[in-house]
Amino acid sequence: MLGVVNLDKPVGPTSHDMVGLLRRLTGTRRIGHAGTLDPLASGVLPILVGGATRLSEELTGGPKRYDATIRLGWRSATDDAQGPLERDGATLPHADAIGPALRTFVGTFDQLPPAFSARRQAGQRAHRAARAGMPLDLAPRSVSIFSIDLLSVAPGDNHIDVRIDMRCGAGTYVRALARDLGDLLGSGGYLFGLRRTEAAGLRAEDAVAPERLTELAADGRLEETLQPVIGLLSLPRLHLDDAEAGRFVHGSQLRVAGEGGGRHAVLFDGHLIGIGTLQAGVLQPDKVLGE
């Protein structure tokens, strides 16, 4: 088996739990995922099967889309609903101030990762250090947010829930956006709910729930959910003949007729066989797929 499953991860399980489910259903250990979702988040989790696991980098690095709810008026140690939570006590912002504040985050800027994150520094995971009471001094990193559409503003007794539709680049923390929006408005804020609606070219409306995957596996129809990797790669394509493909899959450089340079998706007989870098007419294999 080789391909990608568009899994609709529910709230609760970890991304690793979903990898474990697919390992049980497929009977193979070569299962991975592209882009972790926190336990409190739901939505698109691309599950990579077989040789597709070698393409995690290519599938993780693309744009993503989220349906997020930010709760203003409270702060969270984890920047999300996992908490612990603390009432900010400041005056809640006027609804008219929320849209303009959100628009200031559209663009490319340096974002401070959450203290409780999977970022690694000096060999330590940030979330483990934070739970031990010794949070790491994480460095900001450049992120890109392409658009934020304000969907609704819902006032509560001591909070305001702000729902947004956000498109962003890889590495953007929606939790950090919620925290920073609360800081900008002077009210505090944290991520109350999150659903990833697009990732790696996959959409939530086409995703398959774990229960449905289990049913299909029981009927021997699990392969119906596998999508070809080539349709999800945003790389130029390079087609090889039989002799060229044989050299490529054995890791040999080869001279090919191709325009341009850079990384290419390499195909033989209509099937993806790997990723290579083309420079001055010479193709260097970077990643070769196996069945």
Side-chain angles (χ1 to χ4, degrees), residues 8 20-21 49 80-81 88 101-102 133 147-148 183 195 199 210 228 288-289:
D8 190 348
L21 171 66
V49 180
D80 63 13
D88 185 271
L102 283 168
S147 67
I148 301 177
D183 288 343
R195 179 166 177 78
V288 176
L289 304 187

Side-chain angles (χ1 to χ4, degrees), residues 28 30 33 40 53 63 73 75 78 94 101 125 127 129 131 145 147 155 157 165 169 172 197 203 240 259 265 281 284:
T28 178
R30 296 187 70 190
H33 62 76
L40 296 181
T53 56
R75 297 183 184 274
T78 58
H94 192 278
R125 291 288 187 185
H127 63 87
R131 289 193 180 94
I145 295 180
S147 67
D157 291 338
D165 175 17
T172 305
T197 55
R203 302 182 304 171
L240 303 183
E259 297 181 359
Q284 169 65 50

Side-chain angles (χ1 to χ4, degrees), residues 19-30:
V19 168
L21 171 66
L22 265 295
R23 283 175 175 164
R24 293 193 296 273
L25 295 180
T26 62
T28 178
R29 297 292 301 173
R30 296 187 70 190

Side-chain angles (χ1 to χ4, degrees), residues 4 33-35 46 48 50-64 169-171 199-202 228-236 248 262-266 272-277 284-289:
V4 180
H33 62 76
L48 313 181
T53 56
R54 300 213 62 201
L55 302 178
S56 175
E57 178 184 357
E58 286 76 14
L59 295 173
T60 302
K64 297 173 175 59
L202 304 171
V229 184
I230 184 59
L232 306 177
L233 294 176
S234 56
L235 292 173
F248 179 87
R263 304 184 79 233
H264 284 63
V266 181
L272 181 70
I273 60 174
I275 305 293
T277 298
Q284 169 65 50
D286 295 331
K287 297 179 180 179
V288 176
L289 304 187

Side-chain angles (χ1 to χ4, degrees), residues 6-291:
N6 181 7
L7 174 67
D8 190 348
K9 190 191 91 66
V11 172
T14 66
S15 297
H16 185 70
D17 290 336
M18 296 295 94
V19 168
L21 171 66
L22 265 295
R23 283 175 175 164
R24 293 193 296 273
L25 295 180
T26 62
T28 178
R29 297 292 301 173
R30 296 187 70 190
I31 305 289
H33 62 76
T36 301
L37 275 179
D38 292 335
L40 296 181
S42 67
V44 175
L45 181 65
I47 299 292
L48 313 181
V49 180
T53 56
R54 300 213 62 201
L55 302 178
S56 175
E57 178 184 357
E58 286 76 14
L59 295 173
T60 302
K64 297 173 175 59
R65 186 175 183 179
Y66 295 94
D67 184 329
T69 299
I70 298 169
R71 176 156 289 184
L72 301 175
W74 291 77
R75 297 183 184 274
S76 167
T78 58
D79 297 327
D80 63 13
Q82 192 170 12
L85 305 177
E86 180 182 1
R87 179 81 171 92
D88 185 271
T91 302
L92 293 171
H94 192 278
D96 291 342
I98 295 173
L102 283 168
R103 287 193 289 273
T104 66
F105 292 98
V106 176
T108 299
F109 58 94
D110 287 340
Q111 183 186 65
L112 182 66
F116 288 78
S117 69
R119 287 290 302 277
R120 187 186 293 274
Q121 187 167 291
Q124 288 185 290
R125 291 288 187 185
H127 63 87
R128 292 175 181 166
R131 289 193 180 94
M134 297 178 293
L136 302 179
D137 186 16
L138 297 174
R141 65 177 177 182
S142 179
V143 300
S144 294
I145 295 180
F146 309 125
S147 67
I148 301 177
D149 292 325
L150 179 59
L151 301 180
S152 65
V153 175
D157 291 338
N158 54 11
H159 67 267
I160 298 176
D161 283 345
V162 178
R163 186 179 168 210
I164 62 172
D165 175 17
M166 183 176 102
R167 297 175 185 267
C168 62
T172 305
Y173 283 99
V174 190
R175 285 186 287 152
L177 171 71
R179 174 201 66 207
D180 295 343
L181 176 66
D183 288 343
L184 180 62
L185 293 169
S187 64
Y190 70 92
L191 184 63
F192 183 72
L194 183 68
R195 179 166 177 78
R196 187 155 66 192
T197 55
E198 292 182 16
L202 304 171
R203 302 182 304 171
E205 52 262 43
D206 303 319
V208 184
E211 297 80 8
R212 179 58 178 159
L213 289 176
T214 301
E215 294 172 359
L216 290 171
D219 292 339
R221 299 168 52 203
L222 189 60
E223 288 199 30
E224 294 178 11
T225 65
L226 282 178
Q227 299 193 32
V229 184
I230 184 59
L232 306 177
L233 294 176
S234 56
L235 292 173
R237 302 183 182 187
L238 185 63
H239 296 265
L240 303 183
D241 62 27
D242 190 17
E244 293 169 336
R247 293 183 60 194
F248 179 87
V249 298
H250 286 96
S252 299
Q253 286 186 350
L254 60 150
R255 185 165 291 279
V256 297
E259 297 181 359
R263 304 184 79 233
H264 284 63
V266 181
L267 295 89
F268 167 65
D269 196 25
H271 299 286
L272 181 70
I273 60 174
I275 305 293
T277 298
L278 182 62
Q279 185 174 5
V282 175
L283 179 64
Q284 169 65 50
D286 295 331
K287 297 179 180 179
V288 176
L289 304 187
E291 292 297 335

